[in-house]
Amino acid sequence: MPEHDNTALIADDDEFFRMALSSILSGRLGLSEVIETGSFDEAVEQLEQKPGITVALFDLSMPGMGNPANLRVIRELFPDIRVIIVSSSRRREDILAALEAGVHGYVPKGLGVDDLTQALKSVLGGSIYVPPSLADVSGLVSQRPAMAVPDEVPAPQPERLPPLTPRQRDVLELLVKGWSNKEVARMLDLGEGTVKIHLAALFRNLGVRNRAAAAVLGARLLAAEKDREADVKGATGSP
């Protein structure tokens, strides 16, 4: 197989598995550079800073990767990047959620080196990969997942804060205070593009379409969360 003059990103909190994937991507598949990160937030920052990334591999159970909305945002904002889930989960709902978010492959961690190499090679070659042994998802395996598009009807707003990454929560708290993207970027030492990615994920997670709605809903949910924490402390007698 000819060498790829491009860069891969691995986002997984298992350092040894990252090393194994990196060895396959560079040694067997010939990618010119492999970037390793241990969380979704770190991955977002690398995607923004490294325009040469052409394939990104995400673990479903790493810190920050708890919501399919995060995958949809990656696919929407980086449409030219091949996105692959490499996960130990064999649950049908996880496979379907990943495919519906628009990923290009769902690869189980239990594969041997040769099978894993072939799976990654298949995705790099333009195919959608899901092992038949993992899912009976008729029609979805052989078809390219459709890109997620904004719903005509806004999603129902949550009564509690949905699972957010640490960076998403930081951005939300500053958004509620009225900070601009440039100010948020300066406060959190991030690029403005990175802040925009986190905002897009926040909108998805909160079921809103703009920063004003996110600020209003975020303020209510953050206040409600603070009240609940105060009630718990009062009930337990915690200082």
Side-chain angles (χ1 to χ4, degrees):
M1 181 177 181
E3 290 197 354
H4 291 271
D5 185 20
N6 49 35
T7 300
L9 170 73
I10 301 172
D12 193 308
D13 60 343
D14 184 333
E15 181 180 357
F16 292 103
F17 191 74
R18 289 202 311 266
M19 291 171 61
L21 276 180
S22 179
S23 177
I24 291 173
L25 289 166
S26 58
R28 292 196 171 207
L29 297 178
L31 275 84
S32 56
E33 181 182 3
V34 179
I35 300 168
E36 298 181 22
T37 65
S39 72
F40 181 79
D41 285 339
E42 292 175 19
V44 165
E45 293 179 23
Q46 289 296 325
L47 287 170
E48 173 62 21
Q49 295 169 12
K50 303 279 189 177
I53 294 173
T54 54
V55 57
L57 299 89
F58 292 96
D59 176 30
L60 281 182
S61 61
M62 71 175 176
M65 181 53 78
N67 194 322
N70 291 325
L71 289 174
R72 293 190 184 98
V73 168
I74 294 299
R75 286 293 292 120
E76 289 169 358
L77 297 183
F78 302 96
D80 295 329
I81 293 178
R82 306 291 290 176
V83 177
I84 307 171
I85 294 299
V86 185
S87 175
S88 58
S89 172
R90 294 173 177 267
R91 298 193 309 167
R92 175 186 173 87
E93 52 267 38
D94 287 338
I95 298 168
L96 287 172
L99 290 174
E100 288 168 1
V103 305
H104 301 93
Y106 192 101
V107 180
K109 285 189 173 182
L111 290 182
V113 173
D114 289 341
D115 288 339
L116 180 55
T117 301
Q118 288 303 313
L120 298 179
K121 182 178 180 179
S122 173
V123 176
L124 290 174
S127 299
I128 302 297
Y129 181 86
V130 178
S133 61
L134 282 192
D136 177 18
V137 283
S138 58
L140 283 178
V141 175
S142 60
Q143 297 176 15
R144 179 182 180 86
M147 282 291 294
V149 295
D151 299 326
E152 291 300 321
V153 179
Q157 294 184 346
E159 295 301 317
R160 290 173 176 258
L161 275 174
L164 302 176
T165 71
R167 280 301 194 197
Q168 288 171 5
R169 187 181 179 95
D170 290 342
V171 170
L172 178 61
E173 290 175 347
L174 293 176
L175 179 66
V176 166
K177 293 178 181 179
W179 296 106
S180 67
N181 287 359
K182 184 177 292 187
E183 291 168 329
V184 171
R186 185 172 65 250
M187 293 283 289
L188 299 180
D189 194 25
L190 299 173
E192 283 191 62
T194 305
V195 171
K196 290 178 182 178
I197 297 171
H198 288 309
L199 280 174
L202 274 174
F203 297 166
R204 278 281 190 185
N205 283 316
L206 295 174
V208 299
R209 298 191 176 209
N210 55 59
R211 60 186 299 120
V216 171
L217 179 59
R220 178 168 65 81
L221 295 179
L222 286 169
E225 181 179 81
K226 186 175 181 180
D227 289 343
R228 284 193 297 272
E229 291 174 352
D231 290 342
V232 170
K233 287 182 179 180
T236 59
S238 300

